[in-house]
Amino acid sequence: SEELLSARAELEGLIERTRLSASTGSAPPLAEMRARFRGSGPLGRLRASAQAADPLVAPAGAAEDLEDWERVAWASIEADGGTGSRAEAGATLRGVRPNAALCAVFSCYNDPNSAASTDLVLSAKLAADGVDLGLRGDKRITAESILFNLEDVEEKLDALLERMRAAAG
């Protein structure tokens, strides 16, 4: 999608400026990052653009990529996130719905049935949240730490774009 490619170009600019900040020991361009992630441009629309691509590609974890034990584990989890028959029947594990306990172990973030955009959307949110922390003065947010987040978003965006190319044939 052109919108995702525009977001990638915008992200690459942020990465380059943040690499420069890291190499010179200067502060990263957090205000610019916030404006881009929270604005109306391509990065600000990244979530909607990525989710628009979901119908074009297979779910995030294709079944053929799973090991046998993973297939069994995921098959035992209701597709609706724990509001189905077992939860309705009152099945609990120390007061926690069964899927909540399993998600803590397996992470629903890695659910093979999750939409293809899931990794990208979550990584972009974490990056934007990190930027917000940095703007509030959190000392853990450095050029190096935020660069790691931006590169993670770039990696996930590239993976989604590749999946889209593969699906298009």
Side-chain angles (χ1 to χ4, degrees), residues 118-141:
T118 302
D119 283 356
L120 172 58
V121 168
L122 291 175
S123 292
K125 181 180 180 339
L126 288 173
D129 289 350
V131 167
D132 290 343
L133 286 171
L135 286 170
R136 288 194 302 266
D138 191 314
K139 300 297 182 203
R140 297 172 295 177
I141 307 302

Side-chain angles (χ1 to χ4, degrees), residues 78 80-92 96-99:
E78 293 137 7
D80 65 0
T83 59
S85 61
R86 283 187 294 176
E88 289 170 4
T92 59
V96 177
R97 290 184 182 186
N99 284 353

Side-chain angles (χ1 to χ4, degrees), residues 56-57 161-169:
L56 307 175
V57 294
L161 288 167
E162 180 55 37
R163 292 177 65 132
M164 290 173 66
R165 281 190 280 278

Side-chain angles (χ1 to χ4, degrees), residues 9-44:
E10 198 170 71
L11 180 62
E12 184 58 37
L14 290 177
I15 288 171
E16 288 305 314
R17 286 187 286 293
T18 306
R19 282 184 183 143
L20 179 62
S21 295
S23 69
T24 61
S26 60
L30 295 174
E32 178 187 1
M33 288 179 201
R34 180 177 186 162
R36 299 220 184 247
F37 275 111
R38 305 282 189 209
S40 61
L43 274 178

